[in-house]
Amino acid sequence: MADRVHPAPLLPLSTPPAPPPDNSDAAAENTPLRSTTAAAAPGASYIVHVPKDQVLRVPPPDRARRYRKLAARPARRRMLRRACCGACCALLLLLLLAAAFVGAVYLAFRPRAPSFSVTSLSVAGLLDASPARLDAAVRADNGANRKVGVDYRAGGEVRVSYSGVLLATGRWPAFYQPPRNVTLISMPLTGRDGLALTDDQRARLAEQAAAGAVPLTVEARVPVRVRLGKVLRTWTVDVWARCQVTVDRIDGETTAANQGCTVKAKPLWWWW
């Protein structure tokens, strides 16, 4: 008969004792560096522990100048980078402020370009040996602007040509055109002695005059200054106007039929 086995009583649990602290690193740091005079075995390798307080942190005298030069280089680069970033930010801020000012002025005044048209053109002596004489009447309409006036400065010039040949020139008068105004300008134009027209051009001009349709080009260069309200004024810029007209005769008072006028002023591209 088999013997009965009784279970053994459970022993209380106990935590194993903690291992003693390993102070090898601290000891290695506090241990002074010792030099050995024993010859190293060929092919052997060693690990040398150098204490932190004995690490050489100051460059030797022969390298001190180069160390200072290399250490100051990143500081100069940082200063230059900061200066460039500051200049770019200031320029961008000025551009944003200028764009905001121009946008506010445009929304406040709503400037529009005045329109031009040639109402009449008197021609005399065009095919004769004497200098050609023309009287042009130009209509300047500023009715589209409610708060913007146009100040036409002195020094403007008007030119009339046929097929690229200059016929006569004159001066544009200086005057101020207020908002919502239409002004009719009369300008006498004089030509030079002996027009540089070829025989073919003279024959074609005579045929067109007989048919009652002579194409002429009227060009004007006028220095203007725009007045925005009563305070703001722009700088003086040159405005170029070019009109294509057709007259029914070349001797005496004629009726001018406008085929369209174009106005250009590059510094005021946002307006014209």
Side-chain angles (χ1 to χ4, degrees):
M1 189 172 181
D3 296 335
R4 181 176 298 176
V5 180
H6 298 278
L10 297 176
L11 297 177
L13 297 177
S14 60
T15 58
D22 186 7
N23 296 329
S24 58
D25 294 341
E29 293 179 359
N30 297 328
T31 303
L33 181 64
R34 299 177 181 178
S35 62
T36 175
T37 58
S45 60
Y46 300 92
I47 299 176
V48 180
H49 295 277
V50 180
K52 292 183 179 180
D53 57 349
Q54 295 186 11
V55 176
L56 186 62
R57 299 182 183 275
V58 180
D62 57 338
R63 300 284 183 175
R65 182 178 179 181
R66 180 175 178 81
Y67 172 77
R68 289 193 300 268
K69 182 178 179 181
L70 294 177
R73 184 178 300 175
R76 291 198 300 268
R77 289 180 179 177
R78 286 194 298 269
M79 294 177 60
L80 181 60
R81 191 181 300 112
R82 291 176 182 175
C84 292
C85 292
C88 293
C89 292
L91 180 60
L92 181 61
L93 180 60
L94 290 177
L95 292 178
L96 291 177
L97 291 177
F101 175 76
V102 172
V105 170
Y106 178 81
L107 293 177
F109 294 96
R110 297 286 183 176
R112 296 292 184 270
S115 60
F116 301 93
S117 61
V118 180
T119 58
S120 64
L121 191 63
S122 177
V123 183
L126 191 58
L127 295 178
D128 300 338
S130 60
R133 297 178 302 278
L134 291 86
D135 290 329
V138 179
R139 183 176 183 269
D141 187 359
N142 194 31
N145 291 306
R146 298 181 179 179
K147 302 178 181 179
V148 178
V150 181
D151 189 4
Y152 296 95
R153 316 290 288 181
E157 183 182 9
V158 182
R159 302 159 60 96
V160 179
S161 60
Y162 169 77
S163 297
V165 179
L166 181 62
L167 301 180
T169 60
R171 291 293 179 182
W172 184 282
F175 66 97
Y176 171 71
Q177 188 174 23
R180 293 183 173 276
N181 177 265
V182 178
T183 303
L184 188 62
I185 310 165
S186 298
M187 293 169 291
L189 310 175
T190 57
R192 298 177 300 176
D193 293 337
L195 295 177
L197 291 175
T198 63
D199 295 338
D200 294 339
Q201 289 177 342
R202 289 180 180 273
R204 187 169 62 254
L205 179 60
E207 293 177 359
Q208 292 172 347
V214 180
L216 298 177
T217 302
V218 181
E219 297 175 314
R221 182 196 60 83
V222 186
V224 302
R225 181 178 295 178
V226 180
R227 294 186 185 183
L228 304 172
K230 297 182 179 179
V231 179
L232 298 179
R233 295 185 182 182
T234 63
W235 56 91
T236 302
V237 297
D238 288 338
V239 175
W240 288 269
R242 181 185 180 93
C243 299
Q244 301 290 342
V245 299
T246 301
V247 297
D248 57 351
R249 52 188 301 182
I250 57 175
D251 50 350
E253 189 72 22
T254 64
T255 301
N258 288 274
Q259 298 179 359
C261 296
T262 59
V263 182
K264 293 183 180 180
K266 292 182 179 179
L268 296 179
W269 59 267
W270 50 272
W271 181 14
W272 276 307

